[in-house]
Amino acid sequence: MTTDQVMTIQNLSVEYPTPERTVFAVNDISFEIKRGEILGLIGESGSGKTTAANAILRLLERPGRVAGGQVWLNGETELLSLPEHEFRQLRWSELALVSQGAMNSLNPTMRVRDQIADGIRAHETNPAALTKRALQARIHELLTMVGLPDRVYRVYPHELSGGMKQRVGIAMAVALSPALVIADEPTSALDVITQRVVAQTLLDIRDRLGISVLLIGHDIALMAQLADRIAVMYDGHIVEAGPVTEVLKSPAHPYTRMLMDSMPSLLERKPLVVVDEAAKLEFSHYLKPPLRFVEVAPGHRVAQFD
Amino acid sequence: MKQNLLEIRDLTKIYGGGLLSQSPPVVALQHFDLLIPEEPAQIVTIAGESGSGKTTLANLILGFVRLTSGLMLYRGMDVTRMTKAETLTYRREVQAVFQDPYSVYNPYYRVRHIFDVVIKNFRLGSGRRESRDLMEDALRLVGMKGEDILHKYPHQLSGGQRQRMMVARAYLMKPTLIVADEPVSMIDASLRAMILDIMLKLRDEHNISFLYITHDLSTAYQIGDEMHLLYRGLTVEKGSTMRIIENPQHAYAKDLIASVPVPDPAKKWQGRIQMADENEATRHTLSPRPVYWEVEPGHWVAEG
């Protein structure tokens, strides 16, 4: 069965028990990712965006644990309750990760071609795709896909720049045509021009391969360039979500508005909007769970505040 | 005649390439010129991508590495030939704020330790009371209070608070120039304005100049006066920050400015951008000193 939704997250919570109290890093969040869309999950440090991604990928480290909720893949498989050996089969083949440090997670002693081949061999189930010739052709195709020159096939990671390594990471992530790629701050460590090239690559895999992307980041401007829809996280909650054009044009939640106001722009030199830590904490008064959402425009939902 | 605060002429830094060196030399920064007047204080942005030489420049000014050739004058004194007393003054008056506001703290000490050390080493205050007043004064400037903060450990502060502490520490020395190397790039976007605002205040109310080293043109656009845009160790464009960003001339500057994402889905990147196929091993080579032409008043571009 295929549905319009690649992933549906329902009431996901992640808790970290501490001696004093239990901290909810992710607090009852729900959202869905449609087929072929780029969903931007945006938040500042400590908002819970990476924890949410790790929970979906079952990569949470103790003492963090999922306190509740469900994650449905393709509307048919609930990931959080799946036995480990079954979940492992979905990694890479259905769900792949590109992390901020993907460029540093390449094995320095292996040529790029061998690393990509390794990933394919470990997860590919069709034996015809594993012949030397088939593998070779596929790796070349993947490198072209992410816009890398052919020489990359033979080189070692240290011979590549950061942006090129990041694109090797994307090539590996899409090697098995997963339904969803989770990209966690994939361009944050890169220069502006390199960031644009890597962002272009993410758009390409969506446009040409139809792969959905959950893009996690803190940069509203980058989200405006890439995402179809965005969800804004603050203190473990999603406070606002909707089509990117709609949310950025008429941000409804005070926190989203503050984020937008504090964003510098090259379009105009405007006075600085100074926000301090205390002012940011104020927003937590709006968060009295369970949050209730209002739809202010089609598909644009905002947590109620008063 | 009025002296300049900092004058740099044809500064070049080449790493490696010594007699016993196995690998070819790397030209990190070349033919760099800079003039910061004593007054009025200004925020000079040094912008460029990684490998452009901007941090090398900071390291040269702060004396962490030695220059290969060129001239660096602080208030008319050659920085490489200062007496011990002059060096001490230079070290006090030229301060630094770095990118990572965590790694500069010793996690085992309370944060007041960084104040205690500078007060002691530079004999800024005599007695507990005077030291305390100095600290409070510096903290007030960055919007913090001693009682809230000084007894804490670094991990108990947010990134923004830690960075404000570093600015306060720099201010404590009554500097003339603060070299700020990516001071806000590890801080949440919504808290960046706070640090930038403190920089403006120090410039306007305390006559402290900044060398603002960053790859982020949008914050430079908000606060910068002059800008030098570096590309592979060379200044390709310099002059008014606003003019360069609004009217870039050099091919690299155009690409760079067009690639800064705009927070408006209606203004998407136009077309595609290609990256040169280069690897980390590509060495920058020494070029002839570029000729600059003035495209409009106060806006210079490297020829060719």
Side-chain angles (χ1 to χ4, degrees):
Chain A
M1 184 189 85
T2 50
T3 63
D4 181 37
Q5 293 180 359
V6 169
M7 186 169 273
T8 314
I9 286 119
Q10 290 170 342
N11 308 101
L12 180 66
S13 292
V14 176
E15 61 178 22
Y16 283 81
T18 70
E20 295 89 43
R21 64 193 185 99
T22 298
V23 177
F24 283 90
V26 173
N27 203 332
D28 193 20
I29 64 169
S30 301
F31 61 93
E32 70 286 330
I33 304 165
K34 297 189 184 114
R35 205 162 293 282
E37 95 169 334
I38 298 183
L39 178 79
L41 190 58
I42 182 166
E44 297 191 283
S45 52
S47 62
K49 57 191 191 301
T50 295
T51 307
N54 287 343
I56 295 167
L57 290 162
R58 305 200 357 180
L59 292 173
L60 280 179
E61 283 182 29
R62 289 165 71 82
R65 61 183 201 91
V66 172
Q70 295 179 322
V71 176
W72 290 90
L73 182 70
N74 295 327
E76 52 189 4
T77 318
E78 203 287 302
L79 297 180
L80 301 180
S81 57
L82 213 57
E84 184 58 35
H85 68 277
E86 284 181 43
F87 184 76
R88 193 178 306 145
Q89 290 177 347
L90 296 177
R91 284 206 172 115
W92 289 106
S93 62
E94 285 294 315
L95 265 182
L97 171 70
V98 177
S99 65
Q100 176 172 2
M103 55 183 152
N104 299 323
S105 51
L106 298 175
N107 182 337
T109 66
M110 276 173 94
R111 290 177 199 276
V112 165
R113 61 163 189 239
D114 298 332
Q115 311 205 28
I116 301 180
D118 245 19
I120 297 175
R121 277 198 212 98
H123 295 276
E124 178 59 74
T125 45
N126 174 14
L130 290 174
T131 63
K132 199 174 168 194
R133 182 166 304 180
L135 267 178
Q136 209 169 24
R138 184 142 156 204
I139 294 167
H140 278 295
E141 198 183 313
L142 285 166
L143 292 177
T144 313
M145 175 76 227
V146 297
L148 287 171
D150 223 38
R151 73 170 181 88
V152 173
Y153 185 77
R154 289 176 306 277
V155 304
Y156 288 95
H158 75 269
E159 298 174 65
L160 301 174
S161 68
M164 293 174 96
K165 280 188 271 188
Q166 198 66 322
R167 281 184 283 163
V168 171
I170 295 174
M172 291 177 75
V174 302
L176 289 124
S177 304
L180 177 70
V181 167
I182 296 183
D184 188 1
E185 302 267 12
T187 67
S188 300
L190 303 172
D191 295 311
V192 176
I193 293 182
T194 317
Q195 163 173 281
R196 181 168 165 197
V197 172
V198 171
Q200 237 169 232
T201 310
L202 284 173
L203 285 171
D204 288 345
I205 63 164
R206 191 274 301 272
D207 295 345
R208 296 189 202 159
L209 306 177
I211 294 174
S212 307
V213 180
L214 173 59
L215 178 65
I216 293 169
H218 66 277
D219 184 351
I220 296 181
L222 188 66
M223 291 290 179
Q225 297 292 321
L226 292 181
D228 302 303
R229 288 190 305 130
I230 57 170
V232 181
M233 274 190 89
Y234 169 73
D235 198 15
H237 298 270
I238 288 180
V239 295
E240 182 161 4
V244 68
T245 39
E246 172 61 33
V247 176
L248 297 191
K249 196 178 77 200
S250 354
H253 196 276
Y255 178 73
T256 317
R257 275 189 233 143
M258 185 278 293
L259 273 187
M260 300 278 306
D261 290 343
S262 60
M263 182 82 211
S265 164
L266 279 189
L267 298 179
E268 52 169 336
R269 182 161 170 158
K270 49 185 183 185
L272 297 168
V273 178
V274 177
V275 179
D276 65 4
E277 286 88 352
K280 274 173 68 178
L281 280 178
E282 291 289 308
F283 293 105
S284 59
H285 298 317
Y286 297 124
L287 303 174
K288 293 193 193 78
L291 295 187
R292 283 200 312 233
F293 286 87
V294 217
E295 193 164 18
V296 290
H300 182 182
R301 294 180 309 139
V302 181
Q304 264 186 349
F305 55 91
D306 33 48
Chain B
M1 193 187 90
K2 245 193 161 164
Q3 262 177 2
N4 289 309
L5 185 64
L6 187 68
E7 183 178 353
I8 293 177
R9 263 189 265 150
D10 204 6
L11 186 64
T12 295
K13 174 66 190 175
I14 303 174
Y15 286 104
L19 266 181
L20 302 172
S21 163
Q22 304 273 318
S23 48
V26 178
V27 181
L29 183 72
Q30 45 181 327
H31 309 302
F32 183 80
D33 299 321
L34 177 74
L35 204 75
I36 304 180
E38 189 103 35
E39 271 185 31
Q42 47 172 292
I43 296 176
V44 180
T45 303
I46 308 294
E49 59 188 13
S50 53
S52 64
K54 55 192 199 299
T55 294
T56 296
L57 176 64
N59 289 340
L60 284 163
I61 293 174
L62 294 170
F64 297 157
V65 295
R66 292 179 69 86
L67 54 86
T68 306
S69 66
L71 194 62
M72 208 157 49
L73 303 174
Y74 177 71
R75 292 186 153 154
M77 293 178 288
D78 185 336
V79 173
T80 58
R81 290 154 194 248
M82 284 180 169
T83 64
K84 234 178 169 174
E86 285 168 344
T87 303
L88 200 64
T89 309
Y90 181 70
R91 291 241 167 105
R92 185 174 63 72
E93 292 183 348
V94 178
Q95 283 298 312
V97 174
F98 297 107
Q99 175 172 13
D100 183 349
Y102 196 74
S103 64
V104 291
Y105 291 89
N106 184 331
Y108 297 105
Y109 287 108
R110 295 177 197 275
V111 294
R112 70 167 295 147
H113 182 70
I114 62 156
F115 285 154
D116 290 339
V117 167
V118 293
I119 288 177
K120 189 165 150 260
N121 288 357
F122 287 92
R123 301 194 179 86
L124 300 177
S126 53
R128 289 177 77 97
R129 186 168 198 118
E130 202 183 328
S131 311
R132 181 82 196 192
D133 288 347
L134 281 172
M135 285 187 215
E136 287 295 347
D137 183 38
L139 284 172
R140 198 174 313 119
L141 186 95
V142 298
M144 300 201 291
K145 275 203 212 106
E147 61 196 83
D148 299 339
I149 219 102
L150 288 173
H151 61 282
K152 290 193 170 157
Y153 285 95
H155 71 269
Q156 294 173 303
L157 306 183
S158 74
Q161 287 172 323
R162 285 195 289 260
Q163 199 61 301
R164 280 191 280 162
M165 288 281 292
M166 291 319 293
V167 179
R169 174 198 166 280
Y171 169 75
L172 205 59
M173 321 269 242
K174 301 281 172 279
T176 55
L177 175 70
I178 295 179
V179 177
D181 190 355
E182 299 279 12
V184 298
S185 57
M186 282 177 72
I187 291 170
D188 273 335
S190 63
L191 296 176
R192 283 181 190 166
M194 197 171 45
I195 307 280
L196 301 174
D197 188 54
I198 294 167
M199 290 169 65
L200 289 177
K201 199 155 76 179
L202 287 174
R203 178 193 68 183
D204 297 338
E205 294 167 21
H206 300 271
N207 198 39
I208 297 173
S209 285
F210 281 84
L211 204 63
Y212 177 43
I213 296 176
T214 185
H215 69 279
D216 177 9
L217 293 175
S218 43
T219 54
Y221 188 57
Q222 304 303 310
I223 64 163
D225 300 310
E226 292 263 303
M227 176 154 94
H228 291 243
L229 186 58
L230 297 182
Y231 179 58
R232 298 186 180 183
L234 272 173
T235 304
V236 293
E237 203 151 333
K238 58 187 174 184
S240 143
T241 303
M242 296 193 64
R243 292 316 305 147
I244 294 175
I245 288 174
E246 286 162 13
N247 185 22
Q249 299 294 319
H250 193 275
Y252 170 72
K254 284 182 185 167
D255 267 357
L256 183 69
I257 287 157
S259 294
V260 176
V262 171
D264 181 351
K267 294 186 177 119
K268 296 233 168 138
W269 283 313
Q270 293 298 307
R272 295 177 70 87
I273 193 162
Q274 291 300 325
M275 254 174 88
D277 171 20
E278 55 176 297
N279 54 42
E280 292 284 287
T282 308
R283 305 287 166 193
H284 309 166
T285 45
L286 199 60
S287 322
R289 192 174 160 78
V291 177
Y292 295 92
W293 57 285
E294 195 170 17
V295 282
E296 57 186 320
H299 178 183
W300 303 78
V301 181
E303 220 159 63

